[in-house]
Amino acid sequence: MADWGAIGAVKSAVNIPVIANGDIIDAPSASRALELSGADGVMIGRGAQGQPWVLAQIAAELAGQVYRGPQGHALADVILKHYEDVIRFYGPDLGVRNARKHLTWYLERLEGGMELRNLIIRERDASVVLKRLTEGLKNCGPIIEVAA
Ligand SMILES: Cc1cc2nc3c(=O)[nH]c(=O)nc-3n(C[C@H](O)[C@H](O)[C@H](O)COP(=O)(O)O)c2cc1C
């Protein structure tokens, strides 16, 4: 577990902005990290895997607002666009391999997502993955809780 209090010693010693991170996954943990560290902001790593909108959700919640994140078609569009962007950025060979972890992180959170993940995860052709992903996401259920 990250020692957010230890970041407080750094914050007291320097005159530049300090950003706390480690084990921040939601608004309560972000709030606690800010409180214990006195930091100027927080960063989120693993907690954003498969749900990059969690940053906006946490920011909204800390501001007393609610942001549910993308649902249904909008969620499928985020996943498909992310996949296309990874392929475009890394090229088809490296891109297909790099994107596998992102697909797993997204799909393990969706009802029925792991069946789809297992259907596409070894495929080497990006256009085949994209086609199966586009079709498969139509049959996936909503976001489910996954074990940390
Ligand atoms: C897969 C993975 C890759 C990471 N790569 C880097 C890196 O290249 N440079 C770095 O400074 N930290 C890296 N980190 C550390 C994270 O930036 C972060 O400090 C750490 O994961 C704790 O924050 P978290 O609990 O929000 O994930 C990496 C962490 C993970 C899990």
Side-chain angles (χ1 to χ4, degrees):
M1 190 70 195
D3 183 355
W4 298 320
I7 301 170
V10 176
K11 173 65 187 165
S12 312
V14 299
N15 288 318
I16 56 171
V18 171
I19 308 297
N21 100 312
D23 296 316
I24 299 167
I25 53 166
D26 52 18
S29 52
S31 182
R32 188 90 180 117
L34 286 168
E35 184 190 330
L36 289 178
S37 67
D40 301 282
V42 293
M43 290 196 300
I44 295 164
R46 291 165 298 166
Q49 291 169 351
Q51 49 170 5
W53 51 86
V54 78
L55 306 174
Q57 272 176 332
I58 292 172
E61 206 172 318
L62 292 183
Q65 296 160 0
V66 176
Y67 171 63
R68 288 185 67 219
Q71 319 276 328
H73 290 303
L75 174 58
D77 286 347
V78 168
I79 298 172
L80 292 168
K81 169 129 186 0
H82 191 170
Y83 191 77
E84 288 171 326
D85 285 348
V86 171
I87 299 301
R88 196 174 302 119
F89 186 81
Y90 288 105
D93 294 335
L94 184 56
V96 163
R97 281 178 277 141
N98 181 291
R100 285 175 180 157
K101 61 178 183 263
H102 294 289
L103 291 180
T104 300
W105 289 329
Y106 280 121
L107 295 175
E108 71 183 0
R109 291 177 185 277
L110 292 184
E111 207 174 275
M114 284 311 271
E115 287 83 347
L116 173 57
R117 182 251 178 214
N118 294 338
L119 197 69
I120 58 181
I121 211 68
R122 288 179 190 82
E123 176 57 50
R124 293 171 183 210
D125 184 331
S127 58
V128 174
V129 175
L130 195 57
K131 189 166 178 291
R132 288 189 194 158
L133 189 61
T134 305
E135 285 308 307
L137 283 170
K138 291 177 188 163
N139 301 318
C140 283
I143 294 171
I144 49 174
E145 291 294 320
V146 289

